[in-house]
Amino acid sequence: MKNQFKNKVFLITGASSGLGYNLTKFFLGHGAKIIGVSRRKPSIISKNNKFKHVSFDLNNFKKYDLLFKKASKLFGPIDYFIHAAGVHFIKPIRFINDNDINKALNINLKSPMLISKYFLNKEIFKKPLSVVFIASVMGVVGSSGLSIYSASKSGLIGFAKSLSLEMSKQGIRINCLSPGIVKSPLYKEYSKQLTNEMIKKIVESHPLGLGSFNDVNNAVCFLLGSESKWMTGHNLIIDGGYSVS
């Protein structure tokens, strides 16, 4: 299955850290050509000649024309798109302000909305095109302190469902992936602020345990590839049972 990505062109947002960084490494390992979009350059993989980095702040909505014009010239038209860039924070609603709302919605929802217009440009994206938006299980279930984050991811899932219908006749598939908590440097740093009892509660809320980057990589691989060619508008939840526990 993974051989189908050899020499195919990917555009991945949020490529310098977290899920985006690990997805970049994963698909490079299967011979893909990757255009990584992020504010800072991921130094570990930057020497790979199949990786090109575009330094860009996705909050610069008015410069998206320049972003895609530049990106499409690096390896030619793009075969696959992954929106892995995201903003996550925990904050009770009584402390939320306008800046918090804009911070979450701009990257988690507005950015993929505006990027999606470019999917129809044949000079930038090839057809058929397969797209995965990284959402979150928090877009499906709730959690205290995550109201704004959950709203942004829920909105992304709803957007993808309608967009998939709008673009299906153009040979474009749109799907979402909603992971639970993954063991990552970000989680490790966050867990330092928690008591052992709180950490235990988080782990126990995932009946199959916390996830790994490879769990996410393999799920994205499936959604992008030919094995899921009859799937669009779907939100695939991989959360170790969190949403049903």
Side-chain angles (χ1 to χ4, degrees), residues 9 12 14 43 45 62 67 72 79 83 88 106-107 116 119 122 132-133 143 149 151 154 170 176 180 193 211 215 245:
V9 180
I12 301 176
S43 57
I45 56 177
K62 293 182 179 179
L67 166 65
S72 62
D79 297 285
H83 184 70
H88 179 277
N106 280 352
I107 299 301
S116 296
F119 297 161
K122 64 182 180 180
V132 169
F133 295 132
S143 182
Y149 176 75
S154 181
Q170 308 296 324
C176 285
Q193 308 169 40
D215 293 322
S245 64

Side-chain angles (χ1 to χ4, degrees), residues 19 23 132-138 140 157 176-183 205-223 234-244:
L19 297 180
L23 285 163
V132 169
F133 295 132
I134 303 297
S136 169
V137 69
M138 293 305 168
V140 180
I157 293 166
C176 285
L177 183 74
S178 287
I181 294 179
V182 172
K183 288 178 282 188
S205 68
H206 294 69
L208 297 180
L210 302 185
S212 69
F213 282 127
N214 214 40
D215 293 322
V216 174
N217 295 341
N218 287 326
V220 172
C221 183
F222 168 72
L223 285 177
H234 186 71
N235 177 41
L236 180 61
I237 299 172
I238 51 163
D239 63 355
Y242 178 92
S243 57
V244 294

Side-chain angles (χ1 to χ4, degrees), residues 19-53:
L19 297 180
Y21 176 72
N22 280 273
L23 285 163
T24 298
K25 289 197 299 180
F26 177 80
F27 285 109
L28 278 173
H30 293 288
K33 298 176 181 178
I34 310 289
I35 303 160
V37 177
S38 58
R39 285 178 293 184
R40 60 183 180 85
K41 192 173 184 178
S43 57
I44 295 177
I45 56 177
S46 61
K47 294 181 180 180
N48 190 314
N49 61 11
K50 287 193 172 185
F51 176 79
K52 302 292 183 183
H53 181 255

